[in-house]
Amino acid sequence: MATPTSASTRPSARTASHWIAAVTSVVLASSVSSCSAPSADVTDAYAFLDDAMDRCGTGDELRLPPSYLSGVPADDSPGASYVYDVAVTTIAYTARGTRDDLARATTLAASLVSLQQSDPDADGRLRNAYACTAPSGGEPGSLTDATSTGNMAWAGLALLQVHAAEDDPATLEAAVRLGTWIHTVTADDRGAGGYTGGLDDDGDPVLWKSSEHNIDVAAFFLMLAQATGDPVWGTRASSALAVVTSLQDPSTGHFWVGTETDGETTNTDDYVPEDVQAWASLVLPGDDASRALDWATENLLVGDDGQRGATVGDGADPSGTVWLEGTAHLACALRVRDLERDAALSEELLTTVTSAQADGPDGTPRGIPAATQDGTAGGDSTIYDALHTGTTAWFVLAAQGSNPFSDDDRT
C-alpha cells in the first residue's frame, strides 16, 4: 500500500557508498529463520493460494490469481488481480519451493512476462491490475492504465526470485526491462534523488516520492545488480536508499510516508505507515532500520493481549481494525531480525493471523482476510474483511521466516 513521502538532505557520496555496501551484504545474504508456524496453518494457506490461482485456469495455462475471493472487493471487481498481490504470491511459492510451488511460480512469472510483452506501449512496464483470466484470443486485459513504481519493483522482485530458483533467462530479461522503465520514467534529481510514484491513469507523472516505493526499488535494483553483474543497478539502488534514509525521523526512528509533490519536502501531515517500518527493517541494515521496527511494534499494535495486530498507521483508522496483512509484515520482519526479544511477539502476531483463517466461499481452503473488519486505511483508502491472496502470501512468508526482498534461500 503506497502513499506519498519526502526527502530533505542529500547524503554525501561516502554515506551513500556506505549504505549500498551494507545493504548489499545484508539483503543478499538474508537467511531463513529456524522458527516456523504450525504446519497445518501454512499448508492450508498454500492450498488457498493454489485454489485462487486455479479459479482462473489450470496446469500451465497463463493466468493470475484474483486478489480477493470474498467481501466487497470481490463483489465490486470479481477476478481482479493486482500486480502487487501476484508478485507476493509468486515469491511465497518460491519460498517454500516444492516442485509444484516452483511450477506455479514459473507460470505466474510467464504470465507477467506475457503481459509485459503485449502491453500497448511496449516500453517495459506492466499496469497495476489485470483480469485474472485470458479472454478468448488474447492475454488478460488491464483494468487500469496506471503504473505505480512500487508495483513494478515488486513484479521485478518476483521475476528475479523465479529466475534464481529456475534460471529462466526470460524472467531476467523481463526484470531488466521493468528496472529500465522505473529508472527512465521515474528517476528524479530533486531533493535526495530517488524515484517518483509512477504514472497515473492519464499517463501523467506522479511527482511525490514514496518511502515504500523507494524501499521496493532499492531491494529490486540490488537484486538486479547481483543477477546481471551490472554495477549500474547498485548505483541506482543507492539513489533510492538516499531518499529512504532522508525520510527517517531522527527523534522517533520511524520513516515518514514520503515527500510532497515538490519531491523534496517531507510529508509529515499524513499518517506514519506500518508497511514502511517493517519493510525498511527487511531491506536496510543496522540500528536505524531496527529503530523503525521497534517504533511500529510500540505504536501501531491494536487489540487485546493475545489477539493484537497491526493497524495501517498511526491515526489511520480510529476503529481499531486489525490489518492482518500488516500484522504479517511485522511478524516477518521480527522473525528475520531474529533477536531474542522478537520471538514472543512474532509468535503472538502469527497467532492473531492464524485465528483469522476461515473457510471461504464454495469450500475454499483457509486463506487470510486482509483485515478483521472493513476499515480505513488512511486518506480515502479502505481495507476489507475479505479473503486476500496478498495477506495469505505474507503469512506464509512470515511463518517460514523468509525475507521476500532477498533471493538467497531461493538459489
Side-chain angles (χ1 to χ4, degrees):
M1 180 182 300
T3 347
T5 94
S6 146
S8 47
T9 57
R10 182 185 298 275
S12 67
R14 183 174 180 275
T15 302
S17 64
H18 165 77
W19 274 103
I20 198 71
V23 173
T24 300
S25 65
V26 172
V27 174
L28 299 182
S30 180
S31 61
V32 179
S33 166
S34 60
C35 299
S36 60
S39 59
D41 296 326
V42 174
T43 300
D44 283 346
Y46 273 109
F48 170 80
L49 296 177
D50 292 349
D51 180 81
M53 185 172 171
D54 290 346
R55 290 182 175 226
C56 301
T58 58
D60 59 2
E61 288 181 285
L62 298 185
R63 65 205 187 269
L64 306 173
S67 289
Y68 294 95
L69 271 71
S70 70
V72 172
D75 292 339
D76 287 350
S77 300
S81 296
Y82 296 94
V83 164
Y84 162 78
D85 296 320
V86 175
V88 181
T89 299
T90 304
I91 294 169
Y93 279 129
T94 68
R96 189 172 66 169
T98 67
R99 181 177 297 180
D100 182 63
D101 289 338
L102 292 180
R104 288 179 177 277
T106 300
T107 296
L108 293 177
S111 300
L112 292 174
V113 171
S114 177
L115 289 166
Q116 182 190 56
Q117 292 173 341
S118 63
D119 190 89
D121 284 337
D123 57 3
R125 77 170 116 170
L126 294 163
R127 309 297 164 146
N128 288 339
Y130 294 91
C132 72
T133 53
S136 175
E139 295 301 324
S142 63
L143 301 180
T144 174
D145 289 330
T147 298
S148 296
T149 302
N151 290 338
M152 298 306 98
W154 271 102
L157 286 164
L159 292 171
L160 288 178
Q161 297 197 39
V162 172
H163 173 69
E166 296 290 270
D167 194 22
D168 178 8
T171 59
L172 178 57
E173 180 183 352
V176 171
R177 291 189 71 206
L178 279 171
T180 302
W181 184 90
I182 290 172
H183 183 73
T184 301
V185 176
T186 73
D188 189 73
D189 60 3
R190 298 172 302 162
Y195 296 88
T196 57
L199 300 178
D200 65 17
D201 261 322
D202 296 323
D204 296 325
V206 177
L207 295 177
W208 45 255
K209 300 171 191 174
S210 161
S211 295
E212 181 214 307
H213 287 191
N214 279 277
I215 289 168
D216 306 338
V217 169
F220 173 36
F221 284 1
L222 286 170
M223 204 177 289
L224 265 179
Q226 183 188 50
T228 63
D230 187 345
V232 71
W233 295 112
T235 302
R236 292 168 179 176
S238 69
S239 180
L241 288 169
V243 174
V244 178
T245 57
S246 74
L247 290 166
Q248 186 166 29
D249 185 271
S251 61
T252 65
H254 69 61
F255 292 90
W256 295 102
V257 69
T259 74
E260 304 288 356
T261 56
D262 65 4
E264 183 171 3
T265 304
T266 301
N267 177 0
T268 58
D269 295 330
D270 213 335
Y271 67 96
V272 179
E274 175 280 324
D275 50 8
V276 171
Q277 319 313 317
W279 296 6
S281 176
L282 288 165
V283 174
L284 278 66
D287 292 340
D288 285 343
S290 193
R291 285 181 68 206
L293 179 59
D294 289 337
W295 182 89
T297 60
E298 291 164 7
N299 292 275
L300 300 182
L301 295 183
V302 294
D304 300 327
D305 288 345
Q307 194 66 18
R308 290 187 301 164
T311 187
V312 172
D314 66 329
D317 184 0
S319 72
T321 299
V322 171
W323 186 33
L324 293 164
E325 183 189 336
T327 304
H329 298 162
L330 288 179
C332 187
L334 291 166
R335 290 212 156 184
V336 170
R337 186 171 71 173
D338 201 26
L339 300 177
E340 184 176 353
R341 60 188 168 90
D342 294 334
L345 180 55
S346 64
E347 203 63 44
E348 179 185 353
L349 296 177
L350 283 175
T351 298
T352 296
V353 175
T354 56
S355 69
Q357 278 186 296
D359 291 332
D362 306 320
T364 302
R366 298 171 71 211
I368 313 292
T372 55
Q373 61 184 2
D374 293 354
T376 304
D380 58 0
S381 300
T382 306
I383 51 177
Y384 294 100
D385 178 9
L387 289 169
H388 183 214
T389 53
T391 299
T392 305
W394 267 103
F395 162 65
V396 298
L397 289 165
Q400 296 169 102
S402 183
N403 186 347
F405 295 103
S406 168
D407 66 358
D408 187 62
D409 56 316
R410 277 60 160 177
T411 56

